[in-house]
Amino acid sequence: MSSLGMPLSTPALAGKLAGLQSSAIRDLLKLTARADIISLAGGLPDAALMPRERIAAAAQSALADASCLQYTESPGLPALREVLAARESARIGRAVGLNEVFVTHGSQQALSLLAEVLLDPGALVIVEDPAYVGALQVFRAAGARIVAVPLDRDGMRVDVLEELIANGERPAVVHTVANFHNPGGVTLSPERRRRLAELAERHGFWVIEDDPYGELWFDTPAPAAVASYSDQVIRLSSVSKTLAPSLRVGWMVAPDRVCRAVELLKQGADLCGSALTHQIAADLIADTSWFAAHVDTVRTAYGHRAKTLVEALRSTFGDALTCTDAAGGMFVWVDFTDGTDTTALLPTALDAGVAYVPGAAFAVADAYRNSARMCFTTGDEATLTEAVRRLAAAHASR
């Protein structure tokens, strides 16, 4: 009975929540907070490489003007959008207008808002397999029908997408992490980028080019953006991997009508972003020589760590596994060839003091039981070598 003496009737939650589940990666982070565990699990940039002093100076400069403490425009602080328009123009190879740049609370918010703008319940979304978990959560919440297209060493199998279309499938959206894929660690080839854009224009679907890692190349810059080939490609990126996640500055580059639709939804979600963090980000990115040197420092550190992890895995496990050649980004994808179930192995690995994300966490359906994603960004070379030693001990005792 209620306090009013009436029978209790529990209010319902929205039906769309029924198919959602918490991210296995976020849940795993709670376990890996222990000091005795070396974590290869979380996709976290290295806080030691984040430019705290430079951020502090930019914050102090921003605070000299009280307007940075006020509400700002829903599409983002104009000064930041101008800086981003210039950078994205160079990245895409055409002039990007201010009306085509929309700043969001991290690029994940951009993805969430786009799902509401571009998808009706039941609409078909094509994702890569294995898939970015954040995209799966967003598209499932939108009630989309999700179909996975496999990856190989050259990224999304665009030929498989063509076959799906030839067989009558009509996607509304194709999502790709084209550069240094999360979790697959591969990069979409230039030929496939061009073909994907051609398919989008021929069959009338949107491509979401999710690009948080494109600047984190080690030896060779990432290929021309997918958006270079078509206006039907919406680009997403952020400063989370180059500056700091806590700034929560992401953005999209999209046609004006898409940005205006997203603006309506963002006004209902949070009115606007933070003028303070927008100004900080604008200051840092506009300082082009400093920003280029900073990103180069991050690249160099991550490149050494990636090489260490890959070499340790291959030399320690030999033919028992294969792994990607991390050419950029933050992740190595591992496939055990000896039948190791990485979900079953994880508790033993945690007992041995090392964590990773089982491949099943990235599967659209039940797959990747013998795979794992490993992040190399937060450990130095000695720590990564020790992590592989611990993993080998757990593997030997399984």
Side-chain angles (χ1 to χ4, degrees):
M1 300 290 289
S2 72
S3 59
L4 298 177
M6 301 177 64
L8 288 174
S9 180
T10 304
L13 298 178
K16 66 182 180 180
L17 292 172
L20 301 184
Q21 54 187 342
S22 178
S23 165
I25 302 167
R26 292 285 145 188
D27 293 343
L28 190 57
L29 286 176
K30 300 172 187 176
L31 298 174
T32 58
R34 287 168 28 197
D36 60 321
I37 291 180
I38 299 174
S39 179
L40 307 176
L44 305 178
D46 186 353
L49 295 173
M50 296 175 195
R52 287 174 290 174
E53 292 183 2
R54 185 66 180 83
I55 291 172
Q60 185 174 9
S61 177
L63 288 167
D65 184 347
S67 66
C68 74
L69 300 178
Q70 189 55 273
Y71 291 106
T72 189
E73 299 177 13
S74 294
L77 189 73
L80 176 57
R81 290 163 62 213
E82 289 174 4
V83 171
L84 294 174
R87 288 189 66 84
E88 289 291 331
S89 295
R91 187 78 180 90
I92 296 173
R94 67 168 179 82
V96 173
L98 203 63
N99 63 319
E100 298 176 275
V101 178
F102 198 100
V103 182
T104 54
H105 193 73
S107 59
Q108 185 68 22
Q109 187 189 48
L111 187 59
S112 179
L113 293 172
L114 281 172
E116 294 187 66
V117 165
L118 304 180
L119 300 173
D120 291 317
L124 173 61
V125 174
I126 302 293
V127 299
E128 293 155 326
D129 197 13
Y132 168 51
V133 171
L136 291 180
Q137 289 180 307
V138 162
F139 297 140
R140 284 169 177 158
R145 181 169 67 93
I146 301 172
V147 172
V149 168
L151 296 171
D152 64 16
R153 62 184 298 172
D154 290 321
M156 178 192 286
R157 288 278 306 278
V158 177
D159 61 314
V160 175
L161 173 60
E162 287 190 79
E163 291 175 7
L164 288 170
I165 293 172
N167 291 331
E169 294 283 19
R170 291 295 176 264
V173 166
V174 173
H175 177 267
T176 177
V177 183
N179 295 322
F180 317 120
H181 189 270
N182 176 12
V186 296
T187 293
L188 189 65
S189 69
E191 180 181 350
R192 292 187 184 180
R193 290 169 190 244
R194 184 180 300 107
R195 186 61 183 147
L196 177 57
E198 290 172 353
L199 289 172
E201 294 195 341
R202 179 179 301 174
H203 298 284
F205 59 81
W206 294 102
V207 175
I208 298 177
E209 179 185 12
D210 208 342
D211 187 25
Y213 312 106
E215 295 192 75
L216 298 181
W217 50 269
F218 301 149
D219 298 315
T220 304
V226 183
S228 300
Y229 302 104
S230 174
D231 291 339
Q232 288 176 211
V233 179
I234 299 170
R235 269 183 56 77
L236 310 184
S237 193
S238 81
V239 301
S240 293
K241 308 305 187 294
T242 55
L243 291 175
S246 64
L247 291 175
R248 304 314 300 138
V249 171
W251 61 89
M252 73 172 72
V253 176
D256 178 75
R257 65 190 180 100
V258 174
C259 289
R260 301 293 70 78
V262 167
E263 183 174 1
L264 293 175
L265 292 178
K266 185 169 173 62
Q267 288 171 351
D270 61 6
L271 299 181
C272 65
S274 163
L276 176 59
T277 60
H278 288 193
Q279 183 58 57
I280 293 169
D283 184 339
L284 299 179
I285 298 171
D287 190 348
T288 54
S289 58
W290 172 86
F291 187 68
H294 165 69
V295 173
D296 190 58
T297 298
V298 176
R299 283 192 201 112
T300 300
Y302 287 177
H304 289 317
R305 296 172 191 181
K307 183 178 181 181
T308 296
L309 179 59
V310 169
E311 289 182 350
L313 287 167
R314 289 174 176 168
S315 63
T316 301
F317 287 91
D319 294 338
L321 65 73
T322 62
C323 66
T324 51
D325 295 313
M330 299 172 59
F331 306 107
V332 169
W333 182 257
V334 171
D335 291 306
F336 281 92
T337 59
D338 62 357
T340 297
D341 185 318
T342 55
T343 299
L345 178 63
L346 183 58
T348 305
L350 290 170
D351 288 341
V354 64
Y356 56 83
V357 183
F362 306 96
V364 176
D366 185 18
Y368 303 112
R369 306 297 299 183
N370 309 125
S371 304
R373 189 196 76 176
M374 300 182 186
C375 179
F376 49 75
T377 55
T378 55
D380 59 21
E381 284 83 350
T383 301
L384 292 167
T385 301
E386 172 63 14
V388 174
R389 187 198 67 77
R390 295 181 185 186
L391 181 62
H395 180 263
S397 67
R398 72 193 193 285

